[in-house]
Amino acid sequence: MLILGNNAFFFLQTRTGFKQLPDGDPLALPRITNNSVVSVRLSNDKACPLGKNGGYTFQWYRSGMVKESSERTEEKSNHGSLSWSLLRGANYAAYQPSVFDAGHQLRCMVKRGTDGNISQQTCDLPCLVAMDPTLFNSVKMTLLGGKKSVTFGNLRS
């Protein structure tokens, strides 16, 4: 299992509850799309406690090239050098990838503790976020209007 300090794990939120994500082989993971919700939890039925007195805090990141800034970290991996871009406002236990996350990995930095005793764990989802094909096919059909091809000769700015 993807263990985050103090027995917290990655879960995929489903219509019927939460499904714990297995560790290791990315092929064993369910497909993560821009319509998925990934969550950091203690168990299926228990969320991570929040708060300043020993509770958990979260920050999500996206892999890829980013501009030079104080919100950039670099790390060596099996695939070379990865850059991680801070996802502003993504500081909750749950995160729903956007279409901008498609083709990228996600990372969650989890901290727990108080000022004098803070533990931090970094956890990367070992798969790339995919586009939901239903959304893509719907947009494609709308653009094509049921035709096999479309031209854009009458577009004006």
Side-chain angles (χ1 to χ4, degrees):
M1 301 301 155
L2 297 169
I3 301 175
L4 304 173
N6 304 304
N7 300 318
F9 303 94
F10 266 126
F11 285 81
L12 180 64
Q13 188 171 337
T14 67
R15 292 180 190 148
T16 58
F18 292 94
K19 179 178 180 175
Q20 192 164 355
L21 296 177
D23 192 10
D25 184 10
L27 298 177
L29 289 169
R31 186 177 171 113
I32 307 294
T33 72
N34 56 299
N35 285 339
S36 302
V37 176
V38 182
S39 183
V40 177
R41 300 179 62 81
L42 297 177
S43 69
N44 280 345
D45 57 354
K46 188 173 182 184
C48 296
L50 302 176
K52 294 182 181 181
N53 297 326
Y56 291 77
T57 60
F58 311 91
Q59 181 59 61
W60 291 85
Y61 295 82
R62 174 191 313 124
S63 69
M65 300 305 294
V66 294
K67 293 180 181 177
E68 293 290 331
S69 76
S70 61
E71 297 167 353
R72 178 180 177 208
T73 60
E74 288 187 24
E75 182 174 290
K76 296 286 183 186
S77 73
N78 295 338
H79 308 290
S81 181
L82 290 178
S83 296
W84 294 94
S85 177
L86 177 115
L87 297 172
R88 291 185 189 273
N91 51 8
Y92 298 95
Y95 179 71
Q96 180 175 5
S98 73
V99 295
F100 300 108
D101 296 322
H104 298 274
Q105 279 184 269
L106 295 176
R107 164 180 281 182
C108 187
M109 299 281 281
V110 182
K111 293 182 184 179
R112 181 180 186 209
T114 58
D115 292 335
N117 187 20
I118 295 177
S119 62
Q120 178 173 309
Q121 182 78 28
T122 301
C123 189
D124 300 340
L125 284 176
C127 62
L128 301 178
V129 174
M131 282 293 295
D132 183 338
T134 306
L135 177 64
F136 176 76
N137 290 337
S138 173
V139 170
K140 181 174 139 183
M141 289 307 295
T142 300
L143 287 173
L144 294 177
K147 302 173 189 170
K148 292 186 179 187
S149 66
V150 65
T151 60
F152 296 98
N154 294 330
L155 293 178
R156 300 185 198 283
S157 55

